[in-house]
């Protein structure tokens, strides 16, 4: 290691690894320090239940990863990353045994909403689908880390997306489309009436049409392993099993880039109360299942879908989100589930399956949602429980213990609702900079926020390389 590094990165999650790769590939000397014994943060794969069952304890499905300008600019396929597309990106079953779908095809998706809403959906998404590549680059570079390439489309997207998602959902007359869209918005783990929530639903819908909702072959760990291998090939070093508690724990460097929570950053870098106003939000209750066979969905569409949303109506989804973010356990939780072995049978012994599910619960909640979640799954897949060979459960305390960034079990590393959905970690045009001129923040506590896409890491690295080159 040189006596003075150009940059040190703390945390080897997707954003930390992306920041390291972006700097190393530009010729800067970089070292990464990760608290856990393996790289990956929220993109990892482990045998959590039984031998031969390879689960993703955190992220599983990657519309934002497949659409990420940062990932797509790196040769990650050369390092083993392969996106696997399920026949259907997502299905949303209803009590009557039918399902709405989010398909690669706009027409198939629209048709699944029924004749009264098919046209409204086509009119909503078609203008953006054609311009996805520039839109996603502009959207994920906000605020202002680059000039928009297509300002008109971005402005139109802002008009549609900035108001609450409930405004967009008024375009639909039936609840099939509304419920599916509400499920997309639920990724914010906050009320559907929040500012900017329309954009969240739209981005997930557009991604399905433009790039799909793929899973990584072998599990999400392969995203992190590919990033780490690329960092090393570009000359960077990665040190695992090293929790950083103070800036003095790190070697001398011209820049320090933190893939941590703002609170931890303030503590480690001695920034006092710089992020005292930052809010942490609701959590999830996560269950990883080893199954004896595929999930016996009543409807046909979920059997072909990588992701299945379980929320019978937009009203029930809204109630579940309000309760979880308001500190009460939802009686009928909204569930997001994923079926990795549908596209990647090698992740379980022959004929067996891994199944991934979570529902929203309050910040720091210490209860057990297993029975409630399984009753909901049984509602749409009777016989599910009979297939369970083993399960690994993790509520907020376990999630927080796994990853210091999940404060109180908040998997978004800070509430992604209210103004903090758009302006994180605080209202500034330079969210990656901190009060310390050599210290930067690159975690999902910065724009564009949660998800495995590396764009926070990319945007933060840009601020770092500009400073190192004396450009600003
Ligand atoms: C249950 C669950 C399901 C999810 N599902 C999806 C999904 O399907 N698709 C999707 O795109 N996203 C999903 N996510 C979100 C996604 O995982 C995160 O948004 C993403 O991982 C954030 O990346 P990051 O690099 O900012 O932080 P993280 O991935 O959290 O990485 C931070 C890293 O920093 C390390 N670290 C923290 N403090 C220190 C310290 N003091 N010293 C050294 N190291 C430190 C941590 O150990 C960790 O490795 C999910 C998350 C969870 C928990």
């Amino acid at each position: 290691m040189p006596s003075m590094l150009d940059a040190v990165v703390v945390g080897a999650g997707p954003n930390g690894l992306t920041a390291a790769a972006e700097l190393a590939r530009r010729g800067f000397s970089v070292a990464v320090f990760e608290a856990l014994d393996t790289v990956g943060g929220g993109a990892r794969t482990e045998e959590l239940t039984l031998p031969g069952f390879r689960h993703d304890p955190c992220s599983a499905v990657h519309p934002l990863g497949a659409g990420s300008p940062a990932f797509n600019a790196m040769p990650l396929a050369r390092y083993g990353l392969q996106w696997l597309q399920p026949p259907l990106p997502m299905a949303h079953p209803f009590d009557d045994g039918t399902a709405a779908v989010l398909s690669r095809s706009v027409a198939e998706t629209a048709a699944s909403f029924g004749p009264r809403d098919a046209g409204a959906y086509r009119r909503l998404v078609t203008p953006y689908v054609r311009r996805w590549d520039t839109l996603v680059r502009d959207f994920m570079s906000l605020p202002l880390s680059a000039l928009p390439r297509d300002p008109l489309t971005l402005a139109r997207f802002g008009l549609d997306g900035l108001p609450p998602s409930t405004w967009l959902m008024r375009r639909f007359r039936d609840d099939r489309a509304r419920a599916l869209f509400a499920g997309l918005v639920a990724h914010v783990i906050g009320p559907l009436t929040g500012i900017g929530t329309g954009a969240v639903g739209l981005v997930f819908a557009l991604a399905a049409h433009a790039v799909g909702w793929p899973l990584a072959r072998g599990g999400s760990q392969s995203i992190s392993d590919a990033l780490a291998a690329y960092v090393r090939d570009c000359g960077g070093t990665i040190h695992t099993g090293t929790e950083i508690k103070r800036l003095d724990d790190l070697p001398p460097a011209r820049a320090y880039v933190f893939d941590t929570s703002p609170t931890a950053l303030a503590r480690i870098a001695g920034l006092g109360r710089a992020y005292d106003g930052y809010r942490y939000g609701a959590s999830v209750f996560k269950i990883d299942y080893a199954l004896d066979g595929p999930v016996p969905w009543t409807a046909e569409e979920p059997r072909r879908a990588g992701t299945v949303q379980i929320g019978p109506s937009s009203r029930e989804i809204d109630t579940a989100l309000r309760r979880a973010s308001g500190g009460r356990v939802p009686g009928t939780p909204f569930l997001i589930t994923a079926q990795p072995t549908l596209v990647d049978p090698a992740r379980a012994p022959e004929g067996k399956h891994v199944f991934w599910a979570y529902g929203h619960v309050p910040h720091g909640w210490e209860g057990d949602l297993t029975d409630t979640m399984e009753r909901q799954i049984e509602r749409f897949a009777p016989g599910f429980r009979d297939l369970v060979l083993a399960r690994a459960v993790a509520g907020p305390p376990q999630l927080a213990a796994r990853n210091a960034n999940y404060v109180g079990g908040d998997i978004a590393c800070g509430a992604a609702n209210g103004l903090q959905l758009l302006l994180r970690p605080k209202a500034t045009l330079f969210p990656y900079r901190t009060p310390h001129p050599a210290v930067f923040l690159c975690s999902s506590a910065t724009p564009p926020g949660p998800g495995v896409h590396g764009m926070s890491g990319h945007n933060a690295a840009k601020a770092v390389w500009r400073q190192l080159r004396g450009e600003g």
Side-chain angles (χ1 to χ4, degrees):
M1 221 188 274
S3 57
M4 171 68 94
L5 286 156
D6 290 318
V8 160
V9 177
V10 176
N15 283 314
L17 290 170
T18 302
E22 296 284 25
L23 292 166
R25 71 199 281 234
R26 286 173 174 81
F28 296 106
S29 55
V30 181
V32 181
F33 293 86
E34 164 58 47
L36 301 186
D37 291 335
T38 50
V39 299
R44 55 176 61 253
T45 305
E46 291 166 19
E47 281 189 351
L48 284 174
T49 55
L50 300 170
F53 288 84
R54 301 205 38 83
H55 303 276
D56 293 330
C58 306
S59 81
V61 184
H62 298 101
L64 304 177
S68 162
F71 287 177
N72 290 333
M74 293 191 244
L76 299 180
R78 204 191 300 157
Y79 298 94
L81 175 59
Q82 190 186 347
W83 296 122
L84 299 175
Q85 299 282 1
L88 271 177
M90 193 264 278
H92 190 124
F94 298 105
D95 281 321
D96 64 1
T98 67
V101 301
L102 191 54
S103 151
R104 296 299 302 271
S105 144
V106 173
E108 189 185 359
T109 306
S112 81
F113 296 154
R116 282 159 39 107
D117 285 330
Y121 183 75
R122 273 198 308 271
R123 284 191 293 281
L124 175 64
V125 298
T126 305
Y128 300 119
V129 173
R130 288 200 208 106
R131 297 190 169 84
W132 164 263
D133 284 341
T134 45
L135 176 66
V136 75
R137 184 176 286 275
D138 288 346
F139 176 73
M140 287 187 148
S141 300
L142 290 172
L144 294 186
S145 79
L147 284 177
R149 294 179 176 210
D150 184 352
L152 282 181
T153 303
L154 187 63
R156 178 176 181 167
F157 183 74
L159 287 177
D160 275 338
L162 272 179
S165 58
T166 39
W167 290 26
L168 266 188
M169 282 154 60
R170 277 192 216 138
R171 298 184 188 197
F172 303 124
R173 295 165 76 184
D174 295 329
D175 203 56
R176 294 173 74 83
R178 285 200 204 121
L180 180 139
F181 201 81
L184 299 177
V185 177
H187 288 274
V188 299
I189 321 186
L192 302 176
T193 45
I195 181 171
T197 47
V200 174
L202 260 180
V203 163
F204 281 106
L206 296 173
H209 304 310
V211 292
W213 282 27
L215 294 89
R217 184 185 289 282
S220 303
Q221 186 72 49
S222 62
I223 305 172
S224 307
D225 288 348
L227 283 165
Y230 184 48
V231 169
R232 292 191 182 101
D233 256 14
C234 294
T237 56
I238 299 176
H239 310 265
T240 53
T242 315
E243 184 189 348
I244 303 304
K245 295 190 171 135
R246 300 177 323 145
L247 222 43
D248 292 350
D249 295 340
L250 295 166
R254 295 165 68 205
Y256 298 91
V257 189
F258 280 78
D259 186 12
T260 66
S261 72
T263 318
L265 164 69
R267 196 174 54 239
I268 296 166
L271 301 181
R273 311 191 61 175
Y275 297 105
D276 272 7
Y278 193 68
R279 290 179 295 114
Y280 293 91
S283 179
V284 303
F285 194 90
K286 171 79 193 308
I287 311 184
D288 287 289
Y289 290 97
L291 297 183
D292 203 15
V295 180
W297 302 106
T298 304
E300 183 273 330
E301 293 87 343
R303 297 183 210 153
R304 296 184 281 128
T307 300
V308 182
Q309 294 186 164
I310 301 186
S313 69
S314 58
R315 186 181 295 268
E316 281 185 72
I317 296 170
D318 187 41
T319 305
L321 291 168
R322 277 180 193 283
R323 285 184 72 113
S325 52
R328 287 181 304 153
V329 189
T332 309
F334 169 64
L335 307 184
I336 303 180
T337 73
Q339 316 191 89
T341 26
L342 191 74
V343 283
D344 199 358
R347 287 182 58 183
E350 201 177 340
K352 315 285 183 212
H353 287 265
V354 290
F355 182 61
W356 175 110
Y358 71 75
H360 306 106
V361 294
H363 184 94
W365 187 68
E366 292 182 358
D368 185 351
L369 203 67
T370 309
D371 187 54
T372 314
M373 283 176 62
E374 290 184 1
R375 270 190 278 122
Q376 270 301 85
I377 299 170
E378 282 273 340
R379 183 169 164 184
F380 300 95
F384 168 78
R385 270 187 168 143
D386 300 338
L387 295 172
V388 177
L389 299 172
R391 55 174 81 68
V393 305
Q398 293 78 24
L399 291 167
R402 258 183 212 167
N403 184 337
N405 286 22
Y406 303 153
V407 178
D410 174 355
I411 67 171
C413 193
N417 54 46
L419 277 181
Q420 210 174 265
L421 171 64
L422 309 167
L423 301 170
R424 47 199 291 129
K426 48 170 62 183
T428 166
L429 287 177
F430 307 101
Y432 313 99
R433 294 185 172 276
T434 73
H436 189 310
V439 173
F440 296 79
L441 183 62
C442 76
S443 69
S444 59
T446 62
V452 173
H453 45 66
M455 285 303 288
S456 300
H458 167 86
N459 295 341
K462 196 177 210 177
V464 174
W465 82 63
R466 283 184 172 161
Q467 174 159 309
L468 294 180
R469 288 174 181 162
E471 292 169 6

